[in-house]
PDB file of all heavy atoms in Angstrom:
ATOM      1  N   MET A  16       0.859  -1.180   0.000  1.00  0.00           N
ATOM      2  CA  MET A  16       0.000   0.000   0.000  1.00  0.00           C
ATOM      3  C   MET A  16       0.901   1.238   0.000  1.00  0.00           C
ATOM      4  O   MET A  16       1.720   1.395   0.879  1.00  0.00           O
ATOM      5  CB  MET A  16      -0.856  -0.099   1.267  1.00  0.00           C
ATOM      6  CG  MET A  16      -2.084   0.703   1.290  1.00  0.00           C
ATOM      7  SD  MET A  16      -3.068   0.485   2.807  1.00  0.00           S
ATOM      8  CE  MET A  16      -3.410  -1.244   2.899  1.00  0.00           C
ATOM      9  N   VAL A  22      -7.068   4.866   1.882  1.00  0.00           N
ATOM     10  CA  VAL A  22      -7.238   3.640   2.654  1.00  0.00           C
ATOM     11  C   VAL A  22      -8.488   3.742   3.510  1.00  0.00           C
ATOM     12  O   VAL A  22      -9.083   4.823   3.639  1.00  0.00           O
ATOM     13  CB  VAL A  22      -6.017   3.368   3.573  1.00  0.00           C
ATOM     14  CG1 VAL A  22      -4.758   3.143   2.761  1.00  0.00           C
ATOM     15  CG2 VAL A  22      -5.818   4.505   4.563  1.00  0.00           C
ATOM     16  N   ARG A  23      -8.849   2.611   4.117  1.00  0.00           N
ATOM     17  CA  ARG A  23      -9.903   2.590   5.128  1.00  0.00           C
ATOM     18  C   ARG A  23      -9.267   2.143   6.432  1.00  0.00           C
ATOM     19  O   ARG A  23      -8.677   1.077   6.515  1.00  0.00           O
ATOM     20  CB  ARG A  23     -11.026   1.633   4.758  1.00  0.00           C
ATOM     21  CG  ARG A  23     -12.073   1.527   5.882  1.00  0.00           C
ATOM     22  CD  ARG A  23     -13.192   0.593   5.543  1.00  0.00           C
ATOM     23  NE  ARG A  23     -14.070   1.265   4.605  1.00  0.00           N
ATOM     24  CZ  ARG A  23     -15.384   1.060   4.539  1.00  0.00           C
ATOM     25  NH1 ARG A  23     -15.973   0.202   5.344  1.00  0.00           N
ATOM     26  NH2 ARG A  23     -16.116   1.718   3.664  1.00  0.00           N
ATOM     27  N   LEU A  24      -9.379   3.002   7.439  1.00  0.00           N
ATOM     28  CA  LEU A  24      -8.934   2.682   8.788  1.00  0.00           C
ATOM     29  C   LEU A  24     -10.165   2.299   9.603  1.00  0.00           C
ATOM     30  O   LEU A  24     -11.142   3.056   9.638  1.00  0.00           O
ATOM     31  CB  LEU A  24      -8.259   3.899   9.434  1.00  0.00           C
ATOM     32  CG  LEU A  24      -8.068   3.844  10.952  1.00  0.00           C
ATOM     33  CD1 LEU A  24      -7.076   2.759  11.341  1.00  0.00           C
ATOM     34  CD2 LEU A  24      -7.631   5.213  11.468  1.00  0.00           C
ATOM     35  N   THR A  25     -10.120   1.145  10.229  1.00  0.00           N
ATOM     36  CA  THR A  25     -11.131   0.792  11.223  1.00  0.00           C
ATOM     37  C   THR A  25     -10.406   0.687  12.547  1.00  0.00           C
ATOM     38  O   THR A  25      -9.472  -0.116  12.688  1.00  0.00           O
ATOM     39  CB  THR A  25     -11.824  -0.541  10.887  1.00  0.00           C
ATOM     40  OG1 THR A  25     -12.434  -0.428   9.596  1.00  0.00           O
ATOM     41  CG2 THR A  25     -12.899  -0.872  11.916  1.00  0.00           C
ATOM     42  N   PRO A  69      -6.546   9.656   2.555  1.00  0.00           N
ATOM     43  CA  PRO A  69      -5.130   9.356   2.352  1.00  0.00           C
ATOM     44  C   PRO A  69      -4.533   8.678   3.588  1.00  0.00           C
ATOM     45  O   PRO A  69      -4.839   9.046   4.727  1.00  0.00           O
ATOM     46  CB  PRO A  69      -4.501  10.733   2.114  1.00  0.00           C
ATOM     47  CG  PRO A  69      -5.638  11.601   1.668  1.00  0.00           C
ATOM     48  CD  PRO A  69      -6.852  11.077   2.390  1.00  0.00           C
ATOM     49  N   GLN A  70      -3.654   7.712   3.355  1.00  0.00           N
ATOM     50  CA  GLN A  70      -3.077   6.948   4.468  1.00  0.00           C
ATOM     51  C   GLN A  70      -2.433   7.836   5.527  1.00  0.00           C
ATOM     52  O   GLN A  70      -2.674   7.631   6.718  1.00  0.00           O
ATOM     53  CB  GLN A  70      -2.086   5.900   3.931  1.00  0.00           C
ATOM     54  CG  GLN A  70      -1.656   4.870   4.975  1.00  0.00           C
ATOM     55  CD  GLN A  70      -0.592   5.364   5.932  1.00  0.00           C
ATOM     56  OE1 GLN A  70       0.217   6.216   5.581  1.00  0.00           O
ATOM     57  NE2 GLN A  70      -0.590   4.836   7.140  1.00  0.00           N
ATOM     58  N   CYS A  73      -5.238   9.402   7.641  1.00  0.00           N
ATOM     59  CA  CYS A  73      -5.864   8.408   8.527  1.00  0.00           C
ATOM     60  C   CYS A  73      -4.934   8.074   9.687  1.00  0.00           C
ATOM     61  O   CYS A  73      -5.385   7.902  10.826  1.00  0.00           O
ATOM     62  CB  CYS A  73      -6.234   7.148   7.748  1.00  0.00           C
ATOM     63  SG  CYS A  73      -7.648   7.341   6.648  1.00  0.00           S
ATOM     64  N   GLN A  74      -3.630   7.998   9.406  1.00  0.00           N
ATOM     65  CA  GLN A  74      -2.659   7.742  10.480  1.00  0.00           C
ATOM     66  C   GLN A  74      -2.686   8.869  11.502  1.00  0.00           C
ATOM     67  O   GLN A  74      -2.572   8.624  12.702  1.00  0.00           O
ATOM     68  CB  GLN A  74      -1.248   7.576   9.904  1.00  0.00           C
ATOM     69  CG  GLN A  74      -0.181   7.295  10.959  1.00  0.00           C
ATOM     70  CD  GLN A  74      -0.392   5.986  11.683  1.00  0.00           C
ATOM     71  OE1 GLN A  74      -0.524   4.942  11.056  1.00  0.00           O
ATOM     72  NE2 GLN A  74      -0.429   6.034  13.019  1.00  0.00           N
ATOM     73  N   LEU A  77      -5.558   8.266  13.744  1.00  0.00           N
ATOM     74  CA  LEU A  77      -5.212   7.182  14.670  1.00  0.00           C
ATOM     75  C   LEU A  77      -4.297   7.695  15.777  1.00  0.00           C
ATOM     76  O   LEU A  77      -4.489   7.369  16.956  1.00  0.00           O
ATOM     77  CB  LEU A  77      -4.554   6.033  13.894  1.00  0.00           C
ATOM     78  CG  LEU A  77      -4.123   4.828  14.722  1.00  0.00           C
ATOM     79  CD1 LEU A  77      -5.297   4.189  15.446  1.00  0.00           C
ATOM     80  CD2 LEU A  77      -3.417   3.813  13.823  1.00  0.00           C
ATOM     81  N   ALA A  94      -6.206  -1.169  15.543  1.00  0.00           N
ATOM     82  CA  ALA A  94      -6.395  -0.602  14.206  1.00  0.00           C
ATOM     83  C   ALA A  94      -6.303  -1.686  13.147  1.00  0.00           C
ATOM     84  O   ALA A  94      -5.473  -2.596  13.238  1.00  0.00           O
ATOM     85  CB  ALA A  94      -5.346   0.469  13.941  1.00  0.00           C
ATOM     86  N   ASP A  95      -7.150  -1.558  12.133  1.00  0.00           N
ATOM     87  CA  ASP A  95      -7.137  -2.444  10.984  1.00  0.00           C
ATOM     88  C   ASP A  95      -7.115  -1.571   9.736  1.00  0.00           C
ATOM     89  O   ASP A  95      -7.938  -0.671   9.592  1.00  0.00           O
ATOM     90  CB  ASP A  95      -8.384  -3.346  10.992  1.00  0.00           C
ATOM     91  CG  ASP A  95      -8.428  -4.269   9.798  1.00  0.00           C
ATOM     92  OD1 ASP A  95      -7.444  -5.009   9.587  1.00  0.00           O
ATOM     93  OD2 ASP A  95      -9.431  -4.253   9.063  1.00  0.00           O
ATOM     94  N   TRP A  96      -6.173  -1.844   8.849  1.00  0.00           N
ATOM     95  CA  TRP A  96      -6.034  -1.093   7.607  1.00  0.00           C
ATOM     96  C   TRP A  96      -6.524  -1.938   6.451  1.00  0.00           C
ATOM     97  O   TRP A  96      -6.237  -3.130   6.384  1.00  0.00           O
ATOM     98  CB  TRP A  96      -4.572  -0.717   7.380  1.00  0.00           C
ATOM     99  CG  TRP A  96      -4.043   0.203   8.426  1.00  0.00           C
ATOM    100  CD1 TRP A  96      -3.378  -0.145   9.566  1.00  0.00           C
ATOM    101  CD2 TRP A  96      -4.140   1.617   8.453  1.00  0.00           C
ATOM    102  NE1 TRP A  96      -3.053   0.972  10.292  1.00  0.00           N
ATOM    103  CE2 TRP A  96      -3.510   2.069   9.629  1.00  0.00           C
ATOM    104  CE3 TRP A  96      -4.697   2.560   7.587  1.00  0.00           C
ATOM    105  CZ2 TRP A  96      -3.418   3.420   9.960  1.00  0.00           C
ATOM    106  CZ3 TRP A  96      -4.596   3.903   7.924  1.00  0.00           C
ATOM    107  CH2 TRP A  96      -3.967   4.318   9.091  1.00  0.00           C
ATOM    108  N   ALA A  97      -7.258  -1.323   5.526  1.00  0.00           N
ATOM    109  CA  ALA A  97      -7.790  -2.031   4.366  1.00  0.00           C
ATOM    110  C   ALA A  97      -7.875  -1.066   3.192  1.00  0.00           C
ATOM    111  O   ALA A  97      -7.810   0.158   3.371  1.00  0.00           O
ATOM    112  CB  ALA A  97      -9.177  -2.590   4.692  1.00  0.00           C
ATOM    113  N   PRO A  98      -8.059  -1.607   1.987  1.00  0.00           N
ATOM    114  CA  PRO A  98      -8.316  -0.725   0.851  1.00  0.00           C
ATOM    115  C   PRO A  98      -9.623   0.036   1.074  1.00  0.00           C
ATOM    116  O   PRO A  98     -10.492  -0.418   1.825  1.00  0.00           O
ATOM    117  CB  PRO A  98      -8.450  -1.693  -0.332  1.00  0.00           C
ATOM    118  CG  PRO A  98      -7.787  -2.957   0.109  1.00  0.00           C
ATOM    119  CD  PRO A  98      -7.975  -3.011   1.595  1.00  0.00           C
TER     120      PRO A  98
END
Side-chain angles (χ1 to χ4, degrees):
M16 199 178 303
V22 297
R23 175 180 284 212
L24 165 67
T25 301
Q70 192 281 331
C73 287
Q74 181 64 53
L77 179 60
D95 179 55
W96 296 94

